[in-house]
Each structure stands twice: as C-alpha cells, then as structure tokens.
C-alpha cells in the first residue's frame, strides 16, 4: 500500500482552516480567545504561522472555555473533530484534530486561561498541583504505536501501569476543583495556562491580554494579547530573532505520514 505524507505546507493549510473554525465558534458563542505562545509569535514576526511549526495554540478564558468546547463538540466540523476528555485523549486540554488520525499529526491546542491570587507562593503551589495531576494523566495515557519494537512496548506498559489506579473521572475532578476553578477568574489580576509546557513562566498579568489586538496569519486576522510586546518578550526575550537555520530547514522539510484512504488524503491537501 502506497504511503501518503503531509508536508509542512499541507499542515499549515489545515491549521489555518482549524483557526477559522475556532474563530467562528468564538463569535457564535460570544467568547474570547487569543493566539497563544508560538502562534502569537508567528503572527507578529512572520505575519503567518512560524514556517517551521507543525501545530498551533490558542488560549481561552476559563469563563468562556466550557461554552466554546461544548459548542465545538456539538458541531459537524467536517474533516476535523474536537478531542477532549475522551478515552484516547492524552492531555488535559482540548485539541482540535484531524478525524481518524493521531493527534500528533496536526492539532491546535485549546488551552484554558485561569485566574490566580496575587500571592506568589499560592501561584507556584497551584502550578505544582497542576503539573502533578497532568503528569499522572500523561503517563497513564502512554500510547503504544504499531511501529514500537517489543522492548519499547514493554517499557511503556511498565511505566503506565502504576498510574492506571487513578480513574480518568477522578483526575478530571481533581483538575477542575484544585486547578481550573480554584480561584475566581474575574477578580484575578494574574492568569496562567495550567496545561502549558512553560510552567510558572505562564503566570502573567491578566491586563496583558486585555480586549485583544489583531495578528495576521496568512491573509487572516485573529485575536492576540493587547500588550503583545510585553507578552512575547516575557516568553521569548528577543522574539524577532529566529532559531538556527539547521533547525528551520529540518522542520520545513518535515513530512508526516497520513493513515487513511486516498479520498480522505485528497480532502486534507485540497486548498
């Protein structure tokens, strides 16, 4: 059987279609969202997705999060679907993914933005609790791949087995009570992304997000944090500086295998 691959241009086309779906959902549910992290960086530095990025991120205030997720989960999204707290989900945040494909192929992470107290010790404590719950969930959900050799399958099973004593529902309950809804969002001066890889670096003043500005992705405009310069400097320092060319070229030449029919593949790569 002939193998089919999506290149970086194909992935970017899909990501822009997914961003439009999220933007439409925000408008229909009167919800706020912002391009987040590297996706916001791309909108400013490249006026597009970062040329060597193969995913995208948005962040949604927790007061709008469930409404947005509920709406997206109830809609026919064509070749896409919402993945959130399902048996095959591997992360706590929602993801927009390609139907019938691994979430690693192409996805947009829909991160929650939650409120925090002003006390730094309490901020760090919440980040620590969030990390521990997500760590348990992630290792419990270690996936076996068809390409995994026997030794790798054995290791993955041994690692994930001890965490299987924690039911998904219990982990979701802990995460909701101890993290997502621990502090009132509207009264908070600080916010964070409790599911992100940056840890306490995700803790920033809520006013940086504000009412939002506009960032350009290809020929489309999407919401970005109001104080985008402080936001990007906080995350990346000299955010106009690009990584070394070797890394760029390596990612730009990336190809990801598509598992499905030729007809499904054609739907994915069409403009």
């Amino acid at each position: 059987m002939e193998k089919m691959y999506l290149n970086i241009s194909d992935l970017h086309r899909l990501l822009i279609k997914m961003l439009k779906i999220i933007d439409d959902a925000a408008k229909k549910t009167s919800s706020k969202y912002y391009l987040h992290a590297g996706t916001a960086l791309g909108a400013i530095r490249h006026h597009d997705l970062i040329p060597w990025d193969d995913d995208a991120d948005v962040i949604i205030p927790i007061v709008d999060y469930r409404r947005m997720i509920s709406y997206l989960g109830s809609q026919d999204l064509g070749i896409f679907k919402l993945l959130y707290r399902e048996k095959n989900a591997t992360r706590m945040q929602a993801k927009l993914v390609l139907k019938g494909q691994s979430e690693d192929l192409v996805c947009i992470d829909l991160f929650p933005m939650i409120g925090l107290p002003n006390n730094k010790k309490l901020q760090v404590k919440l980040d620590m609790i969030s990390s521990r719950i997500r760590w348990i969930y992630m290792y419990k959900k270690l996936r076996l791949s068809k390409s995994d050799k026997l030794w790798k399958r054995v290791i993955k099973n041994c690692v994930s087995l001890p965490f299987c004593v924690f039911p998904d529902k219990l982990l979701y309950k802990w995460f909701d009570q101890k993290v997502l809804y621990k502090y009132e969002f509207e009264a908070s001066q600080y916010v964070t992304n409790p599911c992100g890889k940056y840890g306490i670096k995700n803790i920033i003043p809520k006013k940086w997000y504000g009412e939002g500005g506009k960032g350009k992705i290809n020929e489309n405009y999407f919401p970005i944090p109001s104080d985008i310069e402080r936001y990007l400097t906080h995350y990346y320092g000299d955010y106009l500086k690009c990584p070394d060319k070797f890394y760029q070229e390596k990612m730009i030449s990336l190809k990801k295998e598509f598992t499905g029919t030729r007809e499904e593949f054609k739907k994915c790569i069409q403009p």
Side-chain angles (χ1 to χ4, degrees), residues 151-166:
W151 65 268
K152 202 169 187 179
R153 288 171 173 263
V154 171
I155 289 174
K156 282 186 175 180
N157 279 323
C158 289
V159 170
S160 65
L161 190 61
F163 300 101
C164 291
V165 299
F166 297 96

Side-chain angles (χ1 to χ4, degrees), residues 105-124:
L105 180 67
V106 61
C107 77
I108 292 184
D109 285 297
L110 288 82
F111 290 113
M113 181 202 301
I114 65 168
L116 291 173
N118 292 342
N119 185 293
K120 289 188 177 181
K121 287 185 179 180
L122 292 177
Q123 292 176 357
V124 172

Side-chain angles (χ1 to χ4, degrees), residues 131-144:
S131 296
R132 286 179 178 176
I133 296 172
R134 289 186 295 114
W135 188 79
I136 292 170
Y137 188 77
M138 181 181 67
Y139 279 99
K140 177 187 175 182
K141 297 299 188 85
L142 276 177
R143 293 190 307 256
L144 296 178

Side-chain angles (χ1 to χ4, degrees), residues 61-63 113-115 183-191 206:
I62 194 64
V63 290
M113 181 202 301
I114 65 168
Y183 298 104
E184 186 183 348
F185 181 81
E186 298 294 356
S188 298
Q189 295 180 35
Y190 289 88
V191 292
K206 185 166 67 174

Side-chain angles (χ1 to χ4, degrees), residues 51-66:
W52 48 89
D53 261 7
D54 60 347
D55 64 0
D57 301 324
V58 302
I59 191 165
I60 306 166
I62 194 64
V63 290
D64 297 323
Y65 196 73
R66 279 189 173 170

